[in-house]
Amino acid sequence: MLLSQLTLPDGSRAVAVREDGPAHLVPGVTSTRDLALAAIATGHDLAAEIAARGQGDEVDLEAAYAEGRMLVPLDHTDAAHLHLTGTGLTHLGSASTRDAMHTKVTEEMTDSMKMFRMGLEGGKPAAGSVGVQPEWFYKGNGLAAVAPGAALTSPSFALDGGEEPEVAGLYVIAPDGQPVRVGFALGNEFSDHVTERGNYLWLAHSKLRPASFGPEMLVGDLPDSVEGTSRILRDGEALWEKPFLSGEANMSHSIANLEHHHFKYAPFRDPGDVHVHFFGTATLSFADGISAAPGDVFEIECPAFGLPLRNPLARNSDASAPVAVASL
């Protein structure tokens, strides 16, 4: 089952569902967050909640996408209550690119490789046990969540703007503070890899960039192996293309372990909040010496997640001036 959010031609919001056929509107809700909270309140899972509402009008998602009417598949009416976060060095093979970026002549093993090996040894604990904590980073709030089809914009001070094809977990916090996973979506965890390469302690800076996810959300379990394709299109032609792998069969951490180490922090269990957590990747065009240019289109696709995620690259041309802080 795939869920999405869109704007209808009359400007109103809607939720669409599809499963082995055309998409239909879900009656009685205008957001997947409201749908999820309604399911929690009634004790239903999402499939039962949707079935109880009946089938709405058929909707053409391809047309909505082409017309710029697709939204991220889960959001919040208040941007401050949507949190974009992620983990790195979680995928088999992900350490090689990072290690090459951070290796110094005098080092026997980089901190990145040490972190990766910790995940290999303790990232998949037995049920009921806590595994090693992963690398973690913050990307921003709902203001940094970019709709599918909209531009991912690098700030003027950025040194690079590159894609990171990932799977993201999408969550709502229940009224009792329990994190509830609503589904999974394709994500572009857009980052500044040149800044990160300058010093691995600048990773936090490199991640404070917009991100996109969707357009559709997979409801239910994540496939053990996710196989997709990441590409950069320039003037409609593929400038770069490479397969990417995700899912626990291709990861050094379990999803449950990554979720625990995010939601163990009490501020991330505030009732009603929305969380989008990116699980990491091992595939980057940057590792192949590719530098995307404004106007290029990032495209990430995997059949299990429905429509591909596409976002053009843009750059803020405003000159970077020192930010002066006023005093009261």
PDB file of all heavy atoms in Angstrom, residues 275-289:
ATOM      1  N   HIS A 275       8.423  13.083  12.590  1.00  0.00           N
ATOM      2  CA  HIS A 275       9.856  12.864  12.392  1.00  0.00           C
ATOM      3  C   HIS A 275      10.086  12.179  11.048  1.00  0.00           C
ATOM      4  O   HIS A 275       9.364  11.239  10.683  1.00  0.00           O
ATOM      5  CB  HIS A 275      10.432  11.984  13.502  1.00  0.00           C
ATOM      6  CG  HIS A 275      10.505  12.669  14.827  1.00  0.00           C
ATOM      7  ND1 HIS A 275      11.679  13.136  15.372  1.00  0.00           N
ATOM      8  CD2 HIS A 275       9.528  12.990  15.717  1.00  0.00           C
ATOM      9  CE1 HIS A 275      11.425  13.705  16.535  1.00  0.00           C
ATOM     10  NE2 HIS A 275      10.130  13.629  16.777  1.00  0.00           N
ATOM     11  N   VAL A 276      11.096  12.663  10.341  1.00  0.00           N
ATOM     12  CA  VAL A 276      11.561  12.021   9.111  1.00  0.00           C
ATOM     13  C   VAL A 276      13.033  11.715   9.335  1.00  0.00           C
ATOM     14  O   VAL A 276      13.852  12.625   9.505  1.00  0.00           O
ATOM     15  CB  VAL A 276      11.374  12.936   7.878  1.00  0.00           C
ATOM     16  CG1 VAL A 276      11.914  12.259   6.631  1.00  0.00           C
ATOM     17  CG2 VAL A 276       9.909  13.302   7.713  1.00  0.00           C
ATOM     18  N   HIS A 277      13.363  10.437   9.383  1.00  0.00           N
ATOM     19  CA  HIS A 277      14.717  10.009   9.735  1.00  0.00           C
ATOM     20  C   HIS A 277      15.334   9.232   8.574  1.00  0.00           C
ATOM     21  O   HIS A 277      14.827   8.189   8.171  1.00  0.00           O
ATOM     22  CB  HIS A 277      14.678   9.133  10.988  1.00  0.00           C
ATOM     23  CG  HIS A 277      16.026   8.885  11.595  1.00  0.00           C
ATOM     24  ND1 HIS A 277      16.750   9.871  12.228  1.00  0.00           N
ATOM     25  CD2 HIS A 277      16.790   7.768  11.655  1.00  0.00           C
ATOM     26  CE1 HIS A 277      17.897   9.366  12.664  1.00  0.00           C
ATOM     27  NE2 HIS A 277      17.941   8.091  12.315  1.00  0.00           N
ATOM     28  N   PHE A 278      16.425   9.765   8.039  1.00  0.00           N
ATOM     29  CA  PHE A 278      17.111   9.152   6.899  1.00  0.00           C
ATOM     30  C   PHE A 278      18.097   8.102   7.408  1.00  0.00           C
ATOM     31  O   PHE A 278      18.901   8.362   8.302  1.00  0.00           O
ATOM     32  CB  PHE A 278      17.850  10.232   6.098  1.00  0.00           C
ATOM     33  CG  PHE A 278      16.937  11.230   5.443  1.00  0.00           C
ATOM     34  CD1 PHE A 278      16.535  12.369   6.111  1.00  0.00           C
ATOM     35  CD2 PHE A 278      16.466  11.017   4.151  1.00  0.00           C
ATOM     36  CE1 PHE A 278      15.695  13.297   5.513  1.00  0.00           C
ATOM     37  CE2 PHE A 278      15.612  11.928   3.548  1.00  0.00           C
ATOM     38  CZ  PHE A 278      15.226  13.066   4.221  1.00  0.00           C
ATOM     39  N   PHE A 279      18.059   6.918   6.786  1.00  0.00           N
ATOM     40  CA  PHE A 279      18.809   5.775   7.293  1.00  0.00           C
ATOM     41  C   PHE A 279      20.204   5.609   6.700  1.00  0.00           C
ATOM     42  O   PHE A 279      20.926   4.693   7.084  1.00  0.00           O
ATOM     43  CB  PHE A 279      18.020   4.483   7.074  1.00  0.00           C
ATOM     44  CG  PHE A 279      16.765   4.394   7.882  1.00  0.00           C
ATOM     45  CD1 PHE A 279      15.556   4.094   7.281  1.00  0.00           C
ATOM     46  CD2 PHE A 279      16.778   4.609   9.253  1.00  0.00           C
ATOM     47  CE1 PHE A 279      14.389   4.001   8.027  1.00  0.00           C
ATOM     48  CE2 PHE A 279      15.621   4.522  10.009  1.00  0.00           C
ATOM     49  CZ  PHE A 279      14.420   4.218   9.390  1.00  0.00           C
ATOM     50  N   GLY A 280      20.600   6.460   5.751  1.00  0.00           N
ATOM     51  CA  GLY A 280      21.960   6.378   5.229  1.00  0.00           C
ATOM     52  C   GLY A 280      22.035   5.758   3.847  1.00  0.00           C
ATOM     53  O   GLY A 280      21.062   5.225   3.309  1.00  0.00           O
ATOM     54  N   THR A 281      23.233   5.838   3.260  1.00  0.00           N
ATOM     55  CA  THR A 281      23.435   5.337   1.904  1.00  0.00           C
ATOM     56  C   THR A 281      24.893   4.936   1.717  1.00  0.00           C
ATOM     57  O   THR A 281      25.764   5.305   2.518  1.00  0.00           O
ATOM     58  CB  THR A 281      23.065   6.406   0.859  1.00  0.00           C
ATOM     59  OG1 THR A 281      23.109   5.832  -0.453  1.00  0.00           O
ATOM     60  CG2 THR A 281      24.044   7.586   0.912  1.00  0.00           C
ATOM     61  N   ALA A 282      25.153   4.211   0.642  1.00  0.00           N
ATOM     62  CA  ALA A 282      26.528   3.866   0.262  1.00  0.00           C
ATOM     63  C   ALA A 282      26.845   4.360  -1.143  1.00  0.00           C
ATOM     64  O   ALA A 282      27.909   4.064  -1.677  1.00  0.00           O
ATOM     65  CB  ALA A 282      26.731   2.351   0.342  1.00  0.00           C
ATOM     66  N   THR A 283      25.929   5.125  -1.748  1.00  0.00           N
ATOM     67  CA  THR A 283      26.073   5.514  -3.150  1.00  0.00           C
ATOM     68  C   THR A 283      25.991   7.027  -3.295  1.00  0.00           C
ATOM     69  O   THR A 283      24.977   7.633  -2.952  1.00  0.00           O
ATOM     70  CB  THR A 283      24.957   4.866  -4.007  1.00  0.00           C
ATOM     71  OG1 THR A 283      25.007   3.445  -3.827  1.00  0.00           O
ATOM     72  CG2 THR A 283      25.143   5.191  -5.482  1.00  0.00           C
ATOM     73  N   LEU A 284      27.064   7.637  -3.820  1.00  0.00           N
ATOM     74  CA  LEU A 284      27.116   9.077  -4.026  1.00  0.00           C
ATOM     75  C   LEU A 284      27.757   9.377  -5.370  1.00  0.00           C
ATOM     76  O   LEU A 284      28.799   8.814  -5.697  1.00  0.00           O
ATOM     77  CB  LEU A 284      27.956   9.762  -2.939  1.00  0.00           C
ATOM     78  CG  LEU A 284      27.616   9.543  -1.469  1.00  0.00           C
ATOM     79  CD1 LEU A 284      28.689  10.181  -0.600  1.00  0.00           C
ATOM     80  CD2 LEU A 284      26.260  10.131  -1.152  1.00  0.00           C
ATOM     81  N   SER A 285      27.170  10.291  -6.140  1.00  0.00           N
ATOM     82  CA  SER A 285      27.832  10.724  -7.374  1.00  0.00           C
ATOM     83  C   SER A 285      29.133  11.443  -7.055  1.00  0.00           C
ATOM     84  O   SER A 285      30.086  11.405  -7.834  1.00  0.00           O
ATOM     85  CB  SER A 285      26.906  11.626  -8.193  1.00  0.00           C
ATOM     86  OG  SER A 285      26.613  12.833  -7.483  1.00  0.00           O
ATOM     87  N   PHE A 286      29.192  12.089  -5.895  1.00  0.00           N
ATOM     88  CA  PHE A 286      30.397  12.816  -5.481  1.00  0.00           C
ATOM     89  C   PHE A 286      31.606  11.881  -5.434  1.00  0.00           C
ATOM     90  O   PHE A 286      32.723  12.278  -5.775  1.00  0.00           O
ATOM     91  CB  PHE A 286      30.167  13.446  -4.114  1.00  0.00           C
ATOM     92  CG  PHE A 286      31.353  14.189  -3.566  1.00  0.00           C
ATOM     93  CD1 PHE A 286      31.677  15.456  -4.039  1.00  0.00           C
ATOM     94  CD2 PHE A 286      32.153  13.620  -2.582  1.00  0.00           C
ATOM     95  CE1 PHE A 286      32.779  16.149  -3.535  1.00  0.00           C
ATOM     96  CE2 PHE A 286      33.247  14.303  -2.072  1.00  0.00           C
ATOM     97  CZ  PHE A 286      33.566  15.560  -2.555  1.00  0.00           C
ATOM     98  N   ALA A 287      31.373  10.631  -5.018  1.00  0.00           N
ATOM     99  CA  ALA A 287      32.466   9.665  -4.939  1.00  0.00           C
ATOM    100  C   ALA A 287      33.033   9.330  -6.310  1.00  0.00           C
ATOM    101  O   ALA A 287      34.171   8.867  -6.418  1.00  0.00           O
ATOM    102  CB  ALA A 287      31.983   8.394  -4.251  1.00  0.00           C
ATOM    103  N   ASP A 288      32.244   9.570  -7.350  1.00  0.00           N
ATOM    104  CA  ASP A 288      32.698   9.312  -8.717  1.00  0.00           C
ATOM    105  C   ASP A 288      33.180  10.579  -9.414  1.00  0.00           C
ATOM    106  O   ASP A 288      33.323  10.615 -10.638  1.00  0.00           O
ATOM    107  CB  ASP A 288      31.567   8.673  -9.538  1.00  0.00           C
ATOM    108  CG  ASP A 288      31.227   7.273  -9.054  1.00  0.00           C
ATOM    109  OD1 ASP A 288      32.104   6.644  -8.427  1.00  0.00           O
ATOM    110  OD2 ASP A 288      30.096   6.810  -9.292  1.00  0.00           O
ATOM    111  N   GLY A 289      33.406  11.623  -8.638  1.00  0.00           N
ATOM    112  CA  GLY A 289      33.944  12.857  -9.202  1.00  0.00           C
ATOM    113  C   GLY A 289      32.937  13.716  -9.922  1.00  0.00           C
ATOM    114  O   GLY A 289      33.308  14.610 -10.687  1.00  0.00           O
TER     115      GLY A 289
END
